[in-house]
């Protein structure tokens, strides 16, 4: 039997602590056990980087999941790869059910081409952009959203967009009422 990746903290002679991964396995000769072979690797920096990444991911997930805005990640074709939990509260859609769906299918037919063209331009130029459009809620009603997209490259080098959207229907109604009152 072998032991692979056993991790433990080791105190160096100077008092500093490092994390070490050990691999221990049988040493065989002609099918007979004649001893054990072991390797040790200092993985302190890797562990620190993994901890920092976990902390960063938790922080950003908490931000995305606790904002009043809709937050999603779209691939370069506009398919959902992440949708924040408040898609359920605000639009009535189960976030998990949106994964893989093309976001443009939810957009009002009169706005689809304009939004798809703007999104494609933002992806092609690796820039950011903001646009307003109508989106269908799960109950069939239309809401007016303002969305900002920022492009990034995922680990595979593919362009993805983080899109933050806000229902601006109430704001638009207030602005229209102000114009009418003037």
């Amino acid at each position: 039997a072998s032991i692979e990746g056993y991790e433990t903290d080791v105190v160096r002679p100077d008092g500093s602590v490092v994390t070490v991964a050990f691999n221990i396995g049988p040493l065989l000769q002609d099918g007979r056990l004649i001893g054990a072979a072991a390797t040790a690797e200092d993985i302190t920096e890797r562990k620190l980087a993994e901890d920092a990444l976990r902390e960063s991911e938790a922080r950003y997930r908490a931000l995305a999941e606790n904002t009043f805005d809709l937050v999603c990640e779209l691939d370069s074709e506009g398919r959902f790869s992440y949708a924040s939990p408040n898609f359920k509260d605000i639009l009535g859609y189960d976030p998990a059910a949106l994964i893989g769906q093309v976001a443009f299918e939810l957009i009002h037919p009169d706005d689809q081409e304009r939004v798809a063209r703007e999104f494609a331009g933002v992806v092609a130029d690796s820039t950011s952009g903001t646009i307003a459009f109508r989106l269908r809620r799960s109950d069939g009603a239309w809401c007016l959203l303002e969305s900002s997209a920022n492009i990034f490259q995922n680990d595979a080098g593919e362009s993805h967009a983080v899109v933050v959207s806000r229902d601006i229907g109430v704001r638009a109604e207030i602005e229209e009422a102000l114009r009418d009152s003037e």
Side-chain angles (χ1 to χ4, degrees):
S2 297
I3 299 173
E4 294 184 20
Y6 173 75
E7 297 176 9
T8 189
D9 290 337
V10 175
V11 179
R12 289 181 170 169
D14 66 3
S16 63
V17 178
V18 295
T19 303
V20 177
F22 291 97
N23 294 310
I24 304 169
L27 189 56
L28 304 173
Q29 183 177 27
D30 299 325
R32 285 190 6 232
L33 179 65
I34 61 168
T39 61
E41 177 184 5
D42 182 346
I43 60 168
T44 306
E45 289 193 28
R46 185 184 82 201
K47 294 297 282 182
L48 291 172
E50 289 171 355
D51 291 346
L53 179 60
R54 260 191 304 280
E55 182 180 320
S56 177
E57 287 174 347
R59 181 182 318 110
Y60 287 108
R61 184 161 304 278
L63 287 170
E65 293 179 355
N66 291 294
T67 182
F68 292 110
D69 292 336
L70 299 165
V71 179
C72 66
E73 180 182 331
L74 304 176
D75 68 13
S76 61
E77 302 299 316
R79 287 183 301 268
F80 286 96
S81 52
Y82 170 80
S84 61
N86 56 3
F87 268 77
K88 181 70 173 166
D89 299 331
I90 297 171
L91 300 175
Y93 294 109
D94 175 12
L98 291 173
I99 305 305
Q101 182 175 342
V102 177
F104 306 125
E105 294 172 359
L106 303 176
I107 295 174
H108 192 282
D110 294 344
D111 297 341
Q112 280 182 357
E113 184 180 325
R114 176 177 55 88
V115 173
R117 188 176 54 246
E118 178 77 17
F119 182 78
V122 167
V123 170
D125 296 338
S126 291
T127 60
S128 61
T130 300
I131 192 169
F133 56 90
R134 292 164 288 178
L135 187 113
R136 185 180 62 247
R137 290 187 175 110
S138 67
D139 64 5
W142 296 100
C143 62
L144 182 61
L145 293 183
E146 181 178 70
S147 294
S148 297
N150 289 294
I151 304 303
F152 71 96
Q153 304 297 313
N154 68 7
D155 290 341
E158 303 162 332
S159 292
H160 279 235
V162 171
V163 180
V164 179
S165 303
R166 175 173 292 164
D167 186 338
I168 61 167
V170 173
R171 183 177 83 191
E173 290 171 8
I174 292 170
E175 289 171 355
E176 185 176 332
L178 284 173
R179 278 192 300 276
D180 290 346
S181 70
E182 290 173 357

